[in-house]
Amino acid sequence: MQLFKPSKELRIGAFNSPPIIILEEGEAPKGLMVDYLEAVAEEENWRITWVPDSWNGLLERVKIGDIDLLPFVAFKEERTQFIDYSSENFMTGWGQVYASQKDTFQSVMDLENKEVAVLKNEIHGLAFVELCETFGVNCNIKEVINFDIAFRLLQDNKVDGVVAGNWVGHDYLERFDIAPTSIIYNPKKTLFGVPKGTNSELIKTIDAYVINWRNDKSSAYYSAHKKWLDTHNSSNLPSWITSVILLFLGLFFASIFISYLLRQQVKKQTATLKRQSEQTRQIIDLIPHFIYAANDKDEIFLINKYATEFCGVNSQDYETLPKKHLLKNHQVSAALFGGDQALLNEGSQSYQSEIKTRSATGEETYFNLIKVPFVSSSTDSNSVVGVAVDVTASKQYEKQIEHMSYHDPLTQLPNRILLNDRLKQSLALSVRQGYSGAILLIDLDDFKTFNHKHGVKLGDQLLKKIADRISGLIKVGDTLARLSSDTFVVQLNELSIKPHEAHDTAFKVANKVQEVIGAPININGSSLYISASIGVVIYPFDGKNVINLIPRAEAAMLQAKLNENDSIIRFTSDMETAVFHKHLINNELQNAINNHEFELFYQPQFSHEGISPIGFEVLIRWTNNKHGIIYPNDFIPAAEENNLIISIGYWVIEQAFKDFQKLQATSLKDVFLGINLSVVQIKDPKLVPLIKKLLKQYKISAESIEFEITETVIFEDIDDSIKTLNEIKKLGCKISIDDFGTGYSSLSYLNQLPLDKLKIDRSFIKDIEKDKSSQAIVKTIVNMAKDLGLTVLAEGIEEEAQLEYLRSIDCQYYQGYHFNKAISFKEMLATYDTHALPKSIKTVDINKSV
């Protein structure tokens, strides 16, 4: 091949990194890389001088040109200032943490305050430091000059772990009593480097041998790998026998036929290279990404099929495609080619960005664009290769999920979460700068009666029109949010530094809100009327804590509803008791526990495979002597405030287990139970031990229990929540997210949670057969769940049309009044303890074709 011929000798840096390079005192370097490069040197007639040094010392030698080649080096952006890298990957490695046999570190979180040895300026050591910083873990880093020192420190228990590449660690595992951990990160290509601006032909030669020998199983590339990485190959022939065999083979092949054989080999190699070139071209055309290569004359000499179709050109019309011709046909593609010349001129190693552009057919497309400079063998000049990966679909997913997290699905207004975020910022600003802010909590009067009279669909239209009217009143920077079915909040910023002026401004806005709500609302040709009561809070005067502002505005609103003369009232201190009286008082809840006033109800869940229930969601009801049946939404907040939620929650779990034990003697023995957990339970350290104890006590299979949590429960304390859920998962129980889509719904967090199921909130199901927005959201959730390996259940199904649509998009599980309401345990047995449902129960044939 002989692409590069050094004038005298080739100085190659060597640092001790067995089995790749092994340096032993008084002996010549050996190892996989040594064998490989000496094989290349023999082919190229190079004379190699090995330059042993520490890794840090070799980096300094590269900077001053004291060595010609640095092998076994990973790419790092900062090093491009003094290193030119090869293009081809010699072998792929990754960083790994090694520890003593007694330590079982599972993740970087386990290394908090642990001492870890890393090789100074080594790529995996640097990446490990970044990993610790990213996760906020306090790793005590001990820098050493070589791996021998690092692993001896570990062997002597002077450090808790060592960071090394997997190939290096592979060798030390055989020599020390240590073990690899599951902390694996930073996959990197292994490259060759030369001093910046020198030896470009040397790099081309190295790359050519990597390409050719990697495709030849009999090459020195594979023999070196087999010799040094195959731990099972431990037997070696004596050196004198090997020498005799080699001499014999050399004499045998040094025959009269050698010339003929060489000519045949050249012919075969030429045909192989041509075939490989054609295959490479076909493979590039099959890749569904934008790929091109351009030279320093602004000519594109390589472009794949995806790219030509995207730009609306035919690459077969050009031997080289001038960019100006391409841009003339497709000007918007300029973003894909911008900066090529600058990249070549500046000599940067790589460039990466995310861009938005349009295809020749006008489709908006997002690309993750990566460019690297190189010297092309076809043009023999500086060139740039670019790869643009289409990330449009993931961008759309991210936007939809993010919007769902912070907005009300009906009106698209900010929800409670987004309102709280903005309220925190505004309150902090008002305290710091002296400006007042205000909250107007708007509750529609008798909206439940309106819905009952006119129907839910007309009520939804009314809510949308009211949202539009109020939006037209508020200025930029203020917020209109929807908290619940008939409750809106207007949040006003920077009203005045004078309290009375802030009060007047807030009431002016409140009066305008009442005017636009009270004006006739025309829907389907009918004029409809509704009124509203408004509670006003001026902060920071009426409250300096975000937690108190909304409840105090609610208390003022409730007072406004009771006041015949004034439907706009500002919060006063004497209303404080009303904030707590909206919940049941502590002694009534305590009495409920003591008097056994709680009862469990069960709502069935179905799959598309049959009409018998596959499981039941466990729901709690409270029958009180004064108030009758009280639902969880009314008493759970009070229980949380009064620290009774733990005892109530654990009563629910144990009673559900007792009922489930009874089911084992019925035809329902194979169903599962879904039990809700509150945020307080998730934080309680006694939760997991209790579940473990009850599973054993009642002899229940853990996989028959599914614990349901809401997104707000998880994200109140994400780290502790993930830890607790993982512990529950280890017991064998399943985990599902209830009311999915109304909270945070972050992809990055969902991927960390040990989830089995997503339960789509009923608000998205209500009008799904007609509402395009709800359809888009539910489709997104179903598709996302498939990608994450999760099952999906739709809640709140009340009509056959809803069920048919959900079946059409492959939603797997269903729950709602269309099948049955929540019923007592006795009713559950009477209704479902049979292989066929009674005719008196309204059911649907899930298997009916759509």
Side-chain angles (χ1 to χ4, degrees):
M1 191 173 294
Q2 293 189 352
L3 296 178
F4 168 76
K5 298 180 179 179
S7 58
K8 294 182 180 180
E9 63 183 16
L10 186 64
R11 299 167 301 172
I12 303 180
F15 68 101
N16 193 37
S17 52
I20 310 303
I21 300 175
I22 303 172
L23 299 179
E24 294 180 348
E25 189 172 353
E27 295 185 17
K30 57 185 177 181
L32 186 154
M33 186 63 73
V34 175
D35 286 2
Y36 175 80
L37 287 176
E38 288 183 347
V40 175
E42 183 177 352
E43 291 286 329
E44 294 293 313
N45 293 322
W46 296 344
R47 287 187 301 156
I48 292 179
T49 297
W50 292 98
V51 183
D53 205 340
S54 67
W55 174 246
N56 234 27
L58 291 177
L59 289 179
E60 293 302 317
R61 287 178 183 268
V62 172
K63 292 179 182 178
I64 62 176
D66 194 36
I67 56 175
D68 301 307
L69 182 67
L70 180 61
F72 199 53
V73 57
F75 175 81
K76 186 168 180 61
E77 185 69 35
E78 292 82 353
R79 296 175 185 166
T80 58
Q81 298 177 12
F82 56 90
I83 295 179
D84 286 334
Y85 288 90
S86 60
S87 300
E88 293 297 320
N89 178 25
F90 180 76
M91 62 195 299
T92 299
W94 53 84
Q96 190 159 8
V97 177
Y98 297 84
S100 63
Q101 295 283 355
K102 63 181 177 60
D103 291 323
T104 55
F105 301 132
Q106 298 296 316
S107 73
V108 71
M109 304 295 187
D110 297 333
L111 298 177
E112 180 73 25
N113 294 324
K114 302 292 184 182
E115 189 163 23
V116 181
V118 303
L119 190 63
K120 186 175 182 181
N121 285 331
E122 190 263 341
I123 192 75
H124 296 307
L126 295 172
F128 177 78
V129 173
E130 293 179 1
L131 186 69
C132 292
E133 292 174 352
T134 299
F135 284 90
V137 177
N138 180 29
C139 301
N140 297 326
I141 305 300
K142 183 178 182 63
E143 292 186 336
V144 297
I145 61 172
N146 60 54
F147 287 116
D148 277 343
I149 294 174
F151 282 96
R152 290 192 185 282
L153 288 173
L154 179 59
Q155 180 76 11
D156 297 336
N157 292 319
K158 294 181 179 179
V159 295
D160 301 294
V162 170
V163 170
N166 60 305
W167 299 117
V168 174
H170 170 86
D171 183 79
Y172 283 95
L173 286 176
E174 298 180 355
R175 296 156 49 191
F176 292 87
D177 184 25
I178 58 176
T181 73
S182 58
I183 306 173
I184 299 174
Y185 64 99
N186 196 38
K188 285 288 184 181
K189 297 178 179 179
T190 299
L191 306 174
F192 296 82
V194 298
K196 186 75 175 179
T198 67
N199 293 337
S200 61
E201 291 300 316
L202 172 58
I203 286 296
K204 288 171 62 176
T205 302
I206 294 292
D207 278 339
Y209 274 96
V210 171
I211 292 172
N212 291 334
W213 284 0
R214 197 167 51 202
N215 293 320
D216 182 2
K217 297 294 185 181
S218 63
S219 68
Y221 178 90
Y222 286 98
S223 61
H225 276 67
K226 183 176 182 181
K227 174 181 177 181
W228 294 101
L229 298 183
D230 187 353
T231 59
H232 302 291
N233 185 14
S234 57
S235 61
N236 291 304
L237 290 172
S239 59
W240 68 270
I241 295 179
T242 303
S243 300
V244 171
I245 293 173
L246 289 175
L247 178 61
F248 174 80
L249 290 175
L251 293 172
F252 175 79
F253 284 106
S255 64
I256 194 171
F257 300 106
I258 194 165
S259 177
Y260 170 77
L261 293 175
L262 285 173
R263 285 196 299 270
Q264 289 297 106
Q265 185 64 25
V266 170
K267 183 178 178 180
K268 180 181 177 182
Q269 188 70 11
T270 302
T272 300
L273 288 173
K274 182 179 179 181
R275 184 173 64 254
Q276 289 174 348
S277 177
E278 291 173 352
Q279 290 174 344
T280 301
R281 176 76 234 189
Q282 292 172 356
I283 291 171
I284 291 174
D285 280 339
L286 288 173
I287 296 174
H289 304 313
F290 193 112
I291 301 175
Y292 78 96
N295 59 28
D296 55 2
K297 299 176 182 178
D298 254 6
E299 296 172 330
I300 299 173
F301 59 86
L302 172 67
I303 187 167
N304 71 339
K305 184 178 179 181
Y306 178 96
T308 57
E309 291 178 350
F310 186 86
C311 297
V313 298
N314 188 350
S315 61
Q316 296 177 353
D317 296 340
Y318 305 90
E319 183 174 347
T320 59
L321 175 60
K323 284 185 190 174
K324 61 182 180 180
H325 290 177
L326 187 148
L327 295 175
K328 182 178 179 181
N329 292 339
H330 189 225
Q331 183 61 42
V332 294
S333 65
L336 286 159
F337 304 107
D340 285 2
Q341 201 63 43
L343 189 65
L344 292 172
N345 295 340
E346 295 171 3
S348 301
Q349 184 63 27
S350 66
Y351 166 81
Q352 182 172 356
S353 68
E354 186 177 281
I355 63 171
K356 181 175 74 172
T357 183
R358 291 186 179 276
S359 69
T361 58
E363 293 181 78
E364 185 177 85
T365 307
Y366 287 87
F367 283 114
N368 190 349
L369 176 62
I370 302 174
K371 298 182 182 183
V372 292
F374 75 110
V375 177
S376 166
S377 59
S378 61
T379 63
D380 209 24
S381 61
N382 292 335
S383 305
V384 169
V385 63
V387 178
V389 179
D390 187 342
V391 294
T392 307
S394 62
K395 274 288 181 184
Q396 291 172 345
Y397 272 132
E398 288 175 10
K399 287 182 178 179
Q400 290 174 354
I401 295 299
E402 182 179 6
H403 187 82
M404 288 162 51
S405 301
Y406 295 103
H407 292 83
D408 168 56
L410 176 66
T411 63
Q412 303 306 309
L413 293 176
N415 61 12
R416 186 183 295 269
I417 297 168
L418 184 53
L419 173 65
N420 281 339
D421 286 344
R422 294 181 179 177
L423 194 53
K424 287 178 184 176
Q425 296 174 18
S426 178
L427 182 59
L429 192 65
S430 68
V431 172
R432 186 165 60 250
Q433 297 185 354
Y435 285 96
S436 300
I439 290 176
L440 312 181
L441 191 139
I442 307 153
D443 189 83
L444 302 182
D445 298 327
D446 298 321
F447 183 69
K448 290 182 180 178
T449 304
F450 181 96
N451 264 348
H452 181 73
K453 180 179 179 182
H454 298 285
V456 174
K457 293 182 179 179
L458 199 66
D460 287 348
Q461 293 182 55
L462 177 77
L463 291 171
K464 290 180 181 179
K465 287 186 176 289
I466 289 175
D468 290 340
R469 288 185 177 186
I470 301 175
S471 295
L473 298 177
I474 63 174
K475 68 179 187 295
V476 175
D478 294 339
T479 298
L480 171 62
R482 184 182 179 216
L483 291 195
S484 63
S485 173
D486 56 354
T487 304
F488 297 87
V489 168
V490 172
Q491 183 245 328
L492 305 173
N493 291 307
E494 298 184 13
L495 297 181
S496 174
I497 59 175
K498 299 179 180 179
H500 68 278
E501 291 180 358
H503 173 96
D504 293 344
T505 303
F507 269 73
K508 286 179 182 179
V509 176
N511 280 305
K512 290 180 180 178
V513 168
Q514 276 200 331
E515 288 177 12
V516 298
I517 292 176
I521 299 175
N522 188 282
I523 301 177
N524 300 334
S526 300
S527 293
L528 304 174
Y529 296 86
I530 198 164
S531 60
S533 300
I534 302 177
V536 179
V537 166
I538 309 293
Y539 58 82
F541 307 103
D542 296 339
K544 297 181 181 180
N545 191 320
V546 173
I547 297 174
N548 296 331
L549 294 181
I550 297 296
R552 288 177 177 177
E554 288 177 342
M557 177 272 296
L558 292 173
Q559 188 64 36
K561 284 187 177 294
L562 298 174
N563 196 317
E564 296 181 359
N565 300 319
D566 194 354
S567 55
I568 304 174
I569 291 182
R570 179 179 172 182
F571 174 82
T572 59
S573 58
D574 59 358
M575 297 178 189
E576 188 68 35
T577 53
V579 174
F580 299 99
H581 276 80
K582 68 173 184 173
H583 304 294
L584 297 175
I585 59 176
N586 178 52
N587 62 337
E588 286 191 79
L589 272 173
Q590 188 64 59
N591 289 336
I593 298 172
N594 298 334
N595 298 334
H596 308 290
E597 296 177 5
F598 291 113
E599 182 181 3
L600 295 188
F601 278 61
Y602 297 85
Q603 187 167 25
Q605 298 177 357
F606 296 86
S607 77
H608 60 279
E609 297 177 348
I611 59 176
S612 297
I614 58 168
F616 294 85
E617 180 178 3
V618 180
L619 303 170
I620 186 173
R621 299 289 185 265
W622 176 15
T623 303
N624 182 265
N625 293 332
K626 297 180 181 178
H627 305 278
I629 295 179
I630 303 171
Y631 292 91
N633 287 344
D634 295 322
F635 69 81
I636 291 298
E640 291 178 344
E641 289 179 7
N642 295 313
N643 297 319
L644 294 173
I645 191 64
I646 293 292
S647 55
I648 294 175
Y650 290 161
W651 176 87
V652 169
I653 295 174
E654 182 163 10
Q655 185 60 45
F657 280 23
K658 288 179 181 178
D659 289 348
F660 190 79
Q661 188 180 47
K662 297 175 184 176
L663 291 181
Q664 301 311 298
T666 73
S667 62
L668 297 173
K669 58 181 172 39
D670 294 326
V671 301
F672 66 86
L673 294 186
I675 303 173
N676 291 279
L677 294 177
S678 72
V679 62
V680 181
Q681 287 175 284
I682 289 289
K683 292 180 178 180
D684 184 19
K686 298 178 182 178
L687 173 64
V688 176
L690 176 72
I691 295 173
K692 185 176 181 180
K693 171 192 169 186
L694 294 178
L695 286 171
K696 183 177 181 180
Q697 178 179 342
Y698 293 102
K699 300 178 181 179
I700 293 175
S701 172
E703 63 184 12
S704 300
I705 302 300
E706 180 177 290
F707 286 103
E708 300 182 9
I709 68 274
T710 62
E711 293 165 273
T712 50
V713 167
I714 299 170
F715 294 102
E716 182 151 323
D717 193 335
I718 180 67
D719 293 332
D720 287 343
S721 296
I722 291 175
K723 181 180 179 182
T724 301
L725 294 177
N726 276 318
E727 290 176 357
I728 294 175
K729 186 74 172 179
K730 287 179 182 178
L731 296 178
C733 301
K734 296 180 179 178
I735 307 291
S736 67
I737 288 189
D738 199 10
D739 301 333
F740 184 75
T742 59
Y744 289 80
S745 307
S746 168
L747 279 175
S748 61
Y749 284 128
L750 284 180
N751 206 28
Q752 296 179 43
L753 298 171
L755 297 178
D756 298 285
K757 182 188 295 181
L758 303 181
K759 298 183 70 177
I760 304 174
D761 186 68
R762 65 186 68 247
S763 61
F764 300 112
I765 306 302
K766 183 169 55 177
D767 296 317
I768 194 168
E769 71 274 18
K770 295 180 180 179
D771 187 344
K772 299 295 183 184
S773 176
S774 293
Q775 289 178 5
I777 292 172
V778 173
K779 281 182 180 178
T780 298
I781 294 174
V782 171
N783 291 332
M784 180 187 66
K786 288 181 180 178
D787 292 341
L788 295 174
L790 307 177
T791 56
V792 182
L793 179 143
E795 299 180 293
I797 300 174
E798 298 182 0
E799 300 175 4
E800 177 70 19
Q802 296 168 341
L803 181 63
E804 289 182 359
Y805 178 79
L806 290 165
R807 285 203 304 262
S808 73
I809 62 171
D810 201 24
C811 182
Q812 300 153 301
Y813 302 103
Y814 316 98
Q815 177 179 339
Y817 282 7
H818 183 68
F819 307 101
N820 208 347
K821 64 179 182 178
I823 54 179
S824 68
F825 184 72
K826 290 182 180 179
E827 291 173 315
M828 177 177 71
L829 292 178
T831 304
Y832 295 111
D833 184 15
T834 173
H835 294 290
L837 299 177
K839 296 180 180 179
S840 61
I841 299 299
K842 181 180 179 183
T843 61
V844 224
D845 187 353
I846 305 296
N847 288 316
K848 187 175 74 173
S849 60
V850 179

